[in-house]
Amino acid sequence: MPNIKSAKKRVIVNKTKAQRNKSANTALKTAIKKANTAIATNAENKAEVVRAAEKKIDQAAAKGIIHKNNAARKKSALAVKLNKSNA
């Protein structure tokens, strides 16, 4: 444990941010899995689920949880799967 006051605060702040990031990352992964299963099962609302997943991806990129190129790649992969299932 650190002795300096600012270092103690950094430990607390880092722990809080890590929990927040983990929560957002888990929500992101869940949304992507839901979108993939909706596409795989050819659900009626698959376009809406994919749109919701893309929103979660954009939010994660905006918060800096994932890199913007990673977000673009994930969104592109979802779009390709959706278009293949519609064709």
Side-chain angles (χ1 to χ4, degrees):
M1 193 68 186
N3 293 327
I4 299 168
K5 186 176 180 182
S6 62
K8 290 179 183 178
K9 183 177 179 184
R10 290 273 26 115
V11 168
I12 295 168
V13 169
N14 286 340
K15 190 184 296 184
T16 305
K17 286 187 177 183
Q19 288 174 342
R20 192 171 294 139
N21 288 343
K22 186 170 184 172
S23 173
N25 212 347
T26 304
L28 171 67
K29 287 180 183 179
T30 303
I32 292 172
K33 283 181 190 175
K34 283 183 182 178
N36 284 329
T37 54
I39 292 169
T41 59
N42 206 14
E44 290 181 20
N45 64 341
K46 63 185 171 185
E48 295 171 19
V49 176
V50 169
R51 201 174 311 120
E54 287 178 348
K55 184 176 179 182
K56 283 280 187 192
I57 293 169
D58 285 335
Q59 288 173 340
K63 290 179 182 177
I65 294 166
I66 59 173
H67 193 272
K68 64 176 185 157
N69 292 354
N70 188 351
R73 192 172 65 246
K74 288 180 187 297
K75 287 171 60 176
S76 176
L78 280 177
V80 167
K81 287 180 187 176
L82 182 63
N83 289 338
K84 278 187 182 177
S85 72
N86 287 336

